[in-house]
Amino acid sequence: SAEQPAADGKDKVNAGVIAIVDTAPIHLGKAKGFFDRQNIDLTITPVQGGAASVSGAVSNQFQFAFANTTSLLTAREQGLDVKVVANGVSSTGEPGKDFGAVLVKNDSPIRTAKDLAGKKVSVNQLKNIGDTTIRASVRKAGGDPSAIEFVELAFPDAPAALDNGRVDAIWVVEPFVSQALSHGARAVSWNFAEAVDDLTVAMYFTNGKTDPDLVKRFTAAMNESLAYADAHPDEAREILKSYTKIAPEVIAKINLPRWGTEINRESVQAIADLARADGVLKNKADVAALLP
Amino acid sequence: MTRDRSPDSPGSPEFSRAAYGAAGLGALLALLEAVPRLGLVDPRHLPPASEILATLAAELATPELWAALGQTMWGWALGLAIAFCAAVVAGVVIGVVPGLRAATRSTIEFLRPIPSVALIPLATLLFGASLGSTLLLVVYASFWQVLIQVLYGVADVDAVAHDTARSYGLSAWSRIRHLAWPTALPYVMTGLRLAAAVAFILAVTAELVIGSPGLGLAIQVAQSGGAVATMYALVVLAGLVGIGVNLAVRLLERRVLAWHPSIRREAAA
Amino acid sequence: MTGHPRATEPPERKTPAGPGRVAAGVRRAARRTLTAAGVPVLLVLVWWIHSTVSASFYVPGPDRVARAFAETWFSSRLVDDALPSVVRLLAGYALATLAGVGLGVAIGLSPRLRAAAEPVLEFFRAIPPPVLVPLIMLLAGIDDGMKVLVIASGCVWPILLNTVEGVRALDEVLSDTCRMYGVRGASRLRHLVLRGAGPQIMAGLRQALSVGIILMVISEMFASSSGLGFTIVLFQRGFAIPEMWSGILLLGLLGYTLAVLFRRLERRVLYWYYGRGGDRA
Amino acid sequence: MLEVSGLRKVYEGRGVEALRDLTFRVDTGELVCVVGPSGCGKTTLLRCVAGLLRPTAGSVRVAGVPVTGPPPRMAVVFQEYGRSLFPWMTVRQNVELPLKEKKVPRGRREELVGGSLAAVGLADAADAHPWQLSGGMQQRVAIARAVAYEPQVLLMDEPFAAVDAQTRADLEDLILTLWRDLGMTTLFVTHDIDEAVYLGRRVVVLSSSPTVVLEDLKIDLPPERDQLTTRSLPRFADLRGHLYAQIQRARGDR
Amino acid sequence: MLEVSGLRKVYEGRGVEALRDLTFRVDTGELVCVVGPSGCGKTTLLRCVAGLLRPTAGSVRVAGVPVTGPPPRMAVVFQEYGRSLFPWMTVRQNVELPLKEKKVPRGRREELVGGSLAAVGLADAADAHPWQLSGGMQQRVAIARAVAYEPQVLLMDEPFAAVDAQTRADLEDLILTLWRDLGMTTLFVTHDIDEAVYLGRRVVVLSSSPTVVLEDLKIDLPPERDQLTTRSLPRFADLRGHLYAQIQRARGDR
Ligand SMILES: Nc1ncnc2c1ncn2[C@@H]1O[C@H](COP(=O)(O)OP(=O)(O)OP(=O)(O)O)[C@@H](O)[C@H]1O
Ligand SMILES: Nc1ncnc2c1ncn2[C@@H]1O[C@H](COP(=O)(O)OP(=O)(O)OP(=O)(O)O)[C@@H](O)[C@H]1O
Ligand SMILES: [Mg+2]
Ligand SMILES: [Mg+2]
């Protein structure tokens, strides 16, 4: 699985990537041959979450992987040798048109992010980017974020819990946002868009052992993929059908994220600071060491 | 009058057993159909059985599913085989060699409750998202199930039978082969049934969590895509595999335990 | 096979009186501790040597883990996280015992019920808890009730299977004796079925104990914000590896403690079974 | 009280015809002994009478009612006495259990248990567990249990096989006394021809396989029996010799 | 060959002193019977001799070697014959197993197994499982197993308790023949006083608890024995009467 040149002179690369909407560009780029052109024979291995990506990358099973900003900051803080190589996915910055949101039942008394204070809100993982950005949104809306009771619920399980009244609000990402909205849920906060301007939500990274030249070529291919996906949303939607089980009618409706090539350093720094304030990170993060 | 059936009583036991089993499954299906239809749960979160089965039928028509199932079953079979053999050997040795039981007890009791899922970082570190990781988790989880059963089984040797073996000077190996092993066999069969399910569960869970290819990954992809019917169809498939595995073990059991009261009574009842 | 358990414990010879007796007791306790501690000490040594030779981020040395253990668990965490988990574990275990033994006896006694129920049970048994949990959440919510149910849903299988097999294997002559003397219903259950299947039921309960701990962790991977299992998962996700291992260590210790208590109970309940082996040479 | 007619039993597994065709009856309050070569089907017969085994053909009636399961107020002493005792109960509990089931009041129960244990010479061992007893003691516990139950019908399968000669004589007299006092209908399987003649009012001789009733012999000895005098009667020796010859014939057939 | 000296056995659990002080010896090739009241400790004695039970005090020597575990070339027929057969093996396999262990070549093994099963009248049942057999048949399987083993020392614990009188006589003669042909040192526990006199060269009488050797009686009957003639000798009746009185004394003590 290592990065030996294949018979045709290409570098074999294994990338650990979550099979969600966010990672459409790498699939699209592979289909478009952007990686081939950089002499990279890319294999995409689906992983379950950020922790699996990071440990896969650290153990050199993946040369490159995809994880969200908080996971990467945490890994870095714990002394793991992870290094970002490309942007992954960014918030659109437009409430109402973003890919992550806090939803409530239609008849819920919660009207705005401020009302979330004192309520039970589900996130997919505690001490991660979801609760950090929700706290920030609530704070910005003038509420008291410390009074929110967060519980963990995987995205797929959250809508049911909301319907059954087990929680007051859920934080989900696409396709669950569109799905739930079409079934009568109501968005009260678009936390990625509201918390930090132009938020870099997730990034592609590598471990410190990867050959710099390969990194450079991967970055190039990845950036090309990101730009292409951003410019061709229909093709991005189409590629979703190949690696996810999202129903076609849902795919047509979902809000796509923004796939820029630029990593917004300030937003990463902002997330780091927010995480530190929330106690998710213990020390001041060395953002510069993480980012390229 | 349970012991012996009169020869003229109708219906072969095999047939009636299958009929009862089908009836049980039918009742379950009816329940799963009724619960969403009656609105006890939202059909969006738990589709009715008919829809799940239709989805399953559609899924079964795709080669990807068969490939995934094949991968899962391969990891399952290999892991179960390794765990079973290792546990039987370890169990018999620990049960038979004096003092070993006492010396290993604390270690066994310490290691046993460590969840396989907690070993995932270690597994991915050692093997990555490959068969090796799945095997590590499968073997670790199912090993203990068999081991404990073997230990209890070996301890169940009848005192008089044990004395008989000793007085006729049966060697240690003979006493294992002809006395301890047959005595433990009913326990081992239960252990095998327990381990078979645990191994399967862990094979699927490993794929689910680590992301090595197979049925678990398919479930995860369906789950994260919000494809509820597909997800449940795959879960049903997992359940069906369980039924199949149990049938196989039962068949084996009827062969190797023909002398045991539980089987001979049934042959007659 | 001098070594099978009923014969392992060498019969205590003459019981000396007075101070000699105390000394013998002390010696026995010391020997027991030594046999119990020998292998673990050896294993820790191997681990320690291994970690000094090849340090790895995911496998820290025992010293690091010990330090993390002290920092992590000698705090309010033990009460806030570990205690509620253990309570849920015991509740789930109790529920599984009731359900497993109850259902197991019914199924073991009736071949028809067994034929009808087996495929359904096998169906559920093969469903991995991580995918079963969402279903349970649909029905039982996301609070403690769900976690107890998840624990019970995993623990129940070893108990159920062993009970069924134990009941099926009841001695025929004893069954006939009961039938002859009109020992029926509850009394037959109490005096014949549960006692006769006792050794195998105990084997199942023993299995279930550690399965319960495993399920405790799994249940806390869903809809949680506290708990022993949740904390371990959180450490794992936060790459706090020594802390994670210290949590696993705690799980092991918990399992060991429960097993020791269980063994005490088992010796009491099955005194006739262990006594039957007698004091043999 | 007990009617066996056309009884046939074939064990499916090995295809063994254990009983071919048995017909005999035991009147209320009668004591009938059954003798026959080893493996001829005595235990099988007893199990059919007890309703524990379904006959292949023919029928058994107890008090006029066809037997389909164990009839009430019937007690059995099994040949496998060791396996018929509950290892998790003390001797006392073993004897007491059927009485509890019968809802015998506590005081009476204790009397019965104590009395029957004393009668079989096990008053000292009441608190021991069966596996702490010798073979003969275990067998006596099984007898005490049957006796304490005060059954209407008593079936015994070689109940004295494991006790010494003197104990055996005592137990024989115990059974005779109880039988007379309680009027139990008793079917008694034994290997000891002397015992059969001493105890029985009639002796049923079974042939070896294929098993039929070879003879149904009336024991015309005086009803009051006594170990010394009865056994020394010339008629006793006659009957004994006759039975011995019969059994030999039964075995010779094969 | 067999020396028992000062043997004492206390069962810890109940604190029962099963044997107080036993001393006797059995010479090579001798056949000694042990009689005693039920529960006096005969089985306990046999288990100590077989090295299956550790004595509380005293010692047992076989061929001069102190017994610490089962000595080689010793066969035991247990009182609990049913439990001593392996239910997962057929009758033939049960008999054959010790021979395989002894590395008897195949041909000879088959000869021994076939011969011994035929001798106990079970040639037909060789392929049955023990639980398909009657009590007496099971007991005969256990005897066949011991006999086929051709032991140097043979211990038997009431081996004929479950068989009918005629079969019993046949088996007695079988043991006598084998004992003479093979020169086995034999310790034979029985309840049947006639049997003890008929078989034994000596009879050891045990007292009831606290158990000691009450008498070590030499049986001065002609060495060649025969069911009809030996049993009708006046000396036979004498010895029998004497033993009967002894046992009664043994029991009376308690
Ligand atoms: N469970 C069984 N399966 C098959 N055959 C059996 C079974 N039980 C008994 N038999 C056969 O039935 C026949 C009669 O057995 P039964 O136990 O009734 O004899 P018995 O007269 O009681 O003999 P014994 O005096 O030796 O106890 C025997 O040939 C035996 O092998
Ligand atoms: N495992 C045991 N634990 C405690 N006491 C026992 C045990 N085995 C036997 N005993 C006691 O030891 C005494 C002698 O028992 P043993 O079995 O040797 O008698 P026995 O002479 O063989 O009697 P029987 O003729 O009835 O078989 C009895 O009082 C019995 O209760
Ligand atoms: Mg019988
Ligand atoms: Mg005995």
Side-chain angles (χ1 to χ4, degrees), chain A residues 82-198:
Chain A
V82 290
K83 185 84 182 167
V84 170
V85 298
N87 191 26
V89 66
S90 307
S91 162
T92 60
E94 297 175 58
K97 292 216 180 69
D98 205 7
F99 70 103
V102 179
L103 309 178
V104 297
K105 267 182 161 168
N106 208 7
D107 54 3
S108 166
I110 303 170
R111 313 301 309 181
T112 65
K114 185 177 177 217
D115 301 334
L116 289 173
K119 298 290 193 246
K120 198 166 180 176
V121 181
S122 82
V123 293
N124 71 326
Q125 290 189 353
L126 286 180
K127 301 204 177 191
N128 212 308
I129 196 156
D131 51 346
T132 303
T133 51
I134 291 169
R135 280 199 197 92
S137 308
V138 171
R139 199 176 294 124
K140 277 194 173 172
D144 172 16
S146 64
I148 305 176
E149 185 195 342
F150 284 108
V151 291
E152 274 203 14
L153 269 182
F155 293 138
D157 302 331
L162 183 67
D163 281 354
N164 295 341
R166 318 281 192 203
V167 290
D168 301 310
I170 57 172
W171 174 64
V172 285
V173 296
E174 291 291 9
F176 300 103
V177 177
S178 305
Q179 253 178 6
L181 287 176
S182 72
H183 286 117
R186 177 160 54 74
V188 293
S189 168
W190 299 84
N191 51 318
F192 286 159
E194 293 163 6
V196 177
D197 285 340
D198 184 21

Side-chain angles (χ1 to χ4, degrees), chain C residues 278, chain D residues 131-137 162, chain E residues 11 14 16 18 37-45 79 158 191:
Chain D
W131 35 271
Q132 294 174 319
L133 302 183
S134 77
M137 291 162 91
Chain E
Y11 284 105
R14 278 170 68 218
V16 174
S38 172
C40 74
K42 301 179 293 298
T43 300
T44 305
L45 165 64
Q79 187 174 15
E158 301 178 30
H191 281 319

Side-chain angles (χ1 to χ4, degrees), chain D residues 38-44 79-80 157-158 189 191, chain E residues 81 133-137 162:
Chain D
S38 174
C40 75
K42 301 180 293 297
T43 301
T44 305
Q79 187 175 14
E80 296 141 304
D157 199 351
E158 301 179 28
V189 171
H191 280 318
Chain E
Y81 50 90
L133 302 183
S134 78
M137 291 161 91

Side-chain angles (χ1 to χ4, degrees), chain B residues 30-58:
Chain B
L31 185 74
L32 284 181
E33 183 75 25
V35 166
R37 290 243 183 258
L38 295 177
L40 296 176
V41 298
D42 192 329
R44 275 189 294 129
H45 305 314
L46 176 64
S50 51
E51 192 184 330
I52 296 177
L53 290 184
T55 315
L56 177 60

Side-chain angles (χ1 to χ4, degrees), chain B residues 59-100:
Chain B
E59 286 288 327
L60 283 176
T62 63
E64 289 85 9
L65 182 73
W66 288 102
L69 189 60
Q71 268 157 334
T72 305
M73 295 311 286
W74 174 236
W76 168 80
L78 204 60
L80 181 61
I82 296 173
F84 183 77
C85 296
V88 164
V89 172
V92 170
V93 169
I94 291 173
V96 161
V97 177
L100 217 52

Side-chain angles (χ1 to χ4, degrees), chain E residues 150-200:
Chain E
E150 299 190 314
Q152 271 164 2
V153 181
L154 177 61
L155 308 181
M156 305 183 101
D157 198 352
E158 301 178 30
F160 308 144
V163 297
D164 62 288
Q166 181 57 46
T167 308
R168 184 170 199 134
D170 294 352
L171 292 173
E172 283 166 6
D173 289 338
L174 173 69
I175 293 297
L176 278 184
T177 314
L178 284 170
W179 168 71
R180 253 188 304 256
D181 294 355
L182 301 176
M184 307 179 287
T185 309
T186 307
L187 197 62
F188 190 102
V189 171
T190 179
H191 281 319
D192 189 329
I193 292 168
D194 291 46
E195 184 167 275
V197 177
Y198 179 66
L199 287 180

Side-chain angles (χ1 to χ4, degrees), chain C residues 211-271:
Chain C
V211 173
I213 297 179
I214 295 170
L215 265 294
M216 174 188 90
V217 174
I218 291 183
S219 74
E220 289 174 2
M221 287 162 64
F222 296 85
S224 275
S225 46
S226 69
L228 183 50
F230 173 78
T231 315
I232 292 174
V233 174
L234 205 62
F235 285 142
Q236 185 181 331
R237 281 205 307 250
F239 311 105
I241 301 303
E243 285 79 4
M244 178 196 85
W245 281 112
S246 80
I248 291 176
L249 198 69
L250 189 64
L251 286 181
L253 290 177
L254 175 64
Y256 178 67
T257 312
L258 290 179
V260 168
L261 294 178
F262 184 84
R263 230 177 98 70
R264 289 249 173 102
L265 178 83
E266 186 185 27
R267 285 270 155 188
R268 282 188 148 214
V269 174
L270 295 184
Y271 66 95

